[in-house]
Amino acid sequence: MQKKLISAILGVSIVASLFAAPVFAEDAAGTYALITKSAGNPYNEKEAEGFQKAVEAMGGKAVIQHPEAATADAQISVIQSLISQGVDSICIAANDSNALEAALTEAMASGIAVCSLDSATNADSRAVHVNQAGTMEVGQALIDAVLDLTGGEGQWAIVSATSQATNQNAWIDAMKAIAESDDKYAGLELVEVAYGDDEPQKSTDVTQALLTNYPDLKVICAPTTVGIAAAAKVLQDQKSPVKLTGLGLPSEMAEYIGDDDAHACPYMFLWNPIDIGRLGAYTSAALVAGDITGEAGETFTAGDMGEYEIVEAADDGTEVILGPPFKFDPSNIGEWKDVY
């Protein structure tokens, strides 16, 4: 498939961002901080890569912080440090939206522009959220995959990240709401939502527990890149008949994707975490410059990614949406596994 065609399908400039030199309309001097969920997560590292490249290309200084653990306490310590440093903005993927509210409100009161990306903070503790895809669109893609892979009926389970992760919870709630609203999903039985805390070993352990506890299980859906990779290894190593879908990095999942019994995952979905980081950087710069305040209806230009509009979000705040989720399957995983 031609790179130009793939980029058009995704609705975001994935290929352009990786293979072409970026073009920026204006300089954005200042110090822009990114706080990811935790260290050691390849998805977070790709977000940081995009954020840093965009900030530096705009003439700013990027401060990348990977907390040691995927907890609110670890992120709060980083936020307090950044307030002391006097950074111009903080862009954060929340581990626990409620627990972070006080620290982020303090940051905003001190004059720091705050936005979230990937996993939203509470609406009162951010100007705007950078969403990788519409919540209902992700939920629809995932529940339809479960319906397909179960053959229309049977037991399925979820391997999520942390129980407080706002993005994970929103997608899971969307899946449940869609399933409850249409009789075509009536044959599906969600037996458990297990939490691997975005840790490979814990995600492995909860996957093994699901296989033990539910011998009739047909499908596992893991809307987390760490969880899906761990679950895939368990299922494939054990030659389990249980099938897997969810959200994963092509580079980590290529060996598990196939449409035969030897592969655990027939297909999965994701977006480009590099572009999420880039859009987080542009949003931060627009907030610092005063080009936007975070109100619905405002628009801004995100460098060579084009123009984005701020819209209402489900949590009474606002958001900008990168684009729709993209399906990775045996027909295209080979060309994307070397991209990210």
Side-chain angles (χ1 to χ4, degrees):
M1 187 181 292
Q2 301 268 335
K3 292 188 177 75
K4 182 181 288 186
L5 176 60
I6 297 171
S7 184
I9 292 173
L10 285 171
V12 293
S13 55
I14 290 180
V15 174
S17 68
L18 296 172
F19 296 99
V23 178
F24 303 97
E26 58 186 357
D27 290 334
T31 302
Y32 305 89
L34 172 69
I35 306 174
T36 66
K37 288 185 176 182
S38 64
N41 185 326
Y43 180 93
N44 294 342
E45 291 166 2
K46 290 298 183 183
E47 279 185 338
E49 177 185 331
F51 185 91
Q52 182 163 353
K53 286 183 177 179
V55 168
E56 291 177 352
M58 288 187 290
K61 176 184 177 182
V63 177
I64 307 298
Q65 295 287 339
H66 298 295
E68 292 184 3
T71 65
D73 286 344
Q75 289 187 318
I76 289 169
S77 296
V78 173
I79 293 168
Q80 296 293 345
S81 176
L82 292 172
I83 292 173
S84 298
Q85 294 174 43
V87 299
D88 294 292
S89 71
I90 293 174
C91 188
I92 183 170
N95 283 326
D96 184 328
S97 57
N98 292 329
L100 294 175
E101 185 166 357
L104 291 174
T105 301
E106 180 183 347
M108 295 171 71
S110 69
I112 297 172
V114 174
C115 65
S116 57
L117 85 170
D118 189 54
S119 182
T121 62
N122 285 342
D124 291 337
S125 54
R126 70 174 196 258
V128 64
H129 175 58
V130 178
N131 201 346
Q132 56 271 68
T135 298
M136 294 306 294
E137 287 82 358
V138 174
Q140 187 74 65
L142 294 178
I143 194 64
D144 283 345
V146 172
L147 185 71
D148 174 39
L149 296 177
T150 59
E153 62 181 8
Q155 294 183 347
W156 67 289
I158 293 173
V159 174
S160 187
T162 67
S163 60
Q164 297 85 22
T166 51
N167 57 344
Q168 302 285 312
N169 290 339
W171 297 328
I172 292 168
D173 287 344
M175 294 174 71
K176 291 178 179 177
I178 293 167
E180 291 170 0
S181 69
D182 194 323
D183 287 343
K184 74 177 182 179
Y185 305 103
L188 299 179
E189 180 188 357
L190 176 59
V191 293
E192 185 176 339
V193 179
Y195 299 100
D197 292 347
D198 264 353
E199 297 175 3
Q201 187 57 56
K202 186 170 182 180
S203 298
T204 296
D205 293 343
V206 299
T207 300
Q208 292 172 332
L210 289 173
L211 298 181
T212 299
N213 295 335
Y214 306 101
D216 295 327
L217 191 67
K218 284 189 173 182
V219 171
I220 292 174
C221 180
T224 158
T225 59
V226 175
I228 196 172
K233 188 175 190 314
V234 171
L235 296 177
Q236 204 149 300
D237 285 353
Q238 296 187 11
K239 296 182 172 58
S240 172
V242 175
K243 290 302 179 182
L244 176 69
T245 192
L247 306 175
L249 287 169
S251 58
E252 294 186 327
M253 288 294 295
E255 66 182 294
Y256 304 113
I257 289 184
D259 53 11
D260 55 25
D261 291 340
H263 293 85
C265 182
Y267 56 86
M268 65 174 193
F269 304 87
L270 199 64
W271 33 83
N272 191 343
I274 296 172
D275 276 350
I276 297 171
R278 295 177 70 217
L279 187 55
Y282 290 125
T283 303
S284 296
L287 287 169
V288 171
D291 296 335
I292 58 173
T293 64
E295 292 294 318
E298 295 178 334
T299 61
F300 66 101
T301 300
D304 59 351
M305 299 179 75
E307 186 172 276
Y308 283 82
E309 180 180 359
I310 298 175
V311 298
E312 298 284 353
D315 63 356
D316 296 327
T318 59
E319 64 184 10
V320 293
I321 299 175
L322 178 65
F326 180 71
K327 182 179 180 180
F328 294 95
D329 59 26
S331 72
N332 59 25
I333 192 66
E335 56 195 304
W336 283 104
K337 67 180 182 179
D338 296 327
V339 177
Y340 73 105

